[in-house]
Amino acid sequence: MFDVTLDAAAKQLLDEHFKENPKSGKLRLYVRPRQSSKGRTLALRPDTSTDRDLEQEVSGYHFIISRHLADQIGSWAKISTNDKGGFYITAEKCFNQYCEVSCTLSDACAG
């Protein structure tokens, strides 16, 4: 089992984005390689689920994560907002030296 928590500010950010851009399926929690000192980061993007995914509905949004990634980051992820107008994602376990990672709304919703 994998549990996603979406705080009120993050839900509002998603609502605002999808008001102008209709929902296109589910939101995948995935690892995005980054060319920075923080290395790989967790991010969100629209996607479809497969039989290798875990899925959870939270506040009208369907979040998916691969079973493999869920094994790496633990049993939960919390999605909140950061001070730059994007998402702040924390997980039970670190997959690198950074447990708390951020992505912007444009990062999250880019294909």
Side-chain angles (χ1 to χ4, degrees):
M1 170 122 184
F2 189 79
D3 187 42
V4 175
T5 303
L6 181 67
D7 75 10
K11 182 184 180 318
Q12 182 178 355
L13 195 59
L14 285 171
D15 289 346
E16 289 171 6
H17 177 77
F18 286 113
K19 185 186 310 180
E20 297 175 11
N21 306 291
K23 290 182 188 178
S24 56
K26 302 169 183 178
L27 293 169
R28 177 172 298 279
L29 185 63
Y30 73 104
V31 176
R32 178 182 55 187
R34 177 170 271 180
Q35 305 295 328
S36 76
S37 61
K38 290 190 177 184
R40 302 178 309 156
T41 59
L42 293 173
L44 295 170
R45 72 170 183 233
D47 204 355
T48 57
S49 58
T50 71
D51 60 349
R52 296 182 306 261
D53 292 326
L54 300 172
E55 183 175 338
Q56 183 183 9
E57 187 273 330
V58 180
S59 300
Y61 294 95
H62 291 267
F63 294 92
I64 53 177
I65 185 171
S66 73
R67 293 176 191 276
H68 179 72
L69 180 56
D71 288 343
Q72 290 180 318
I73 67 172
S75 63
W76 60 266
K78 179 179 179 184
I79 303 169
S80 53
T81 56
N82 62 27
D83 60 354
K84 297 176 183 170
F87 296 107
Y88 190 65
I89 303 170
T90 54
E92 178 184 23
K93 299 179 196 173
C94 301
F95 60 89
N96 62 18
Q97 69 268 31
Y98 298 94
C99 289
E100 300 173 343
V101 295
S102 299
C103 67
T104 65
L105 185 59
S106 60
D107 291 338
C109 299

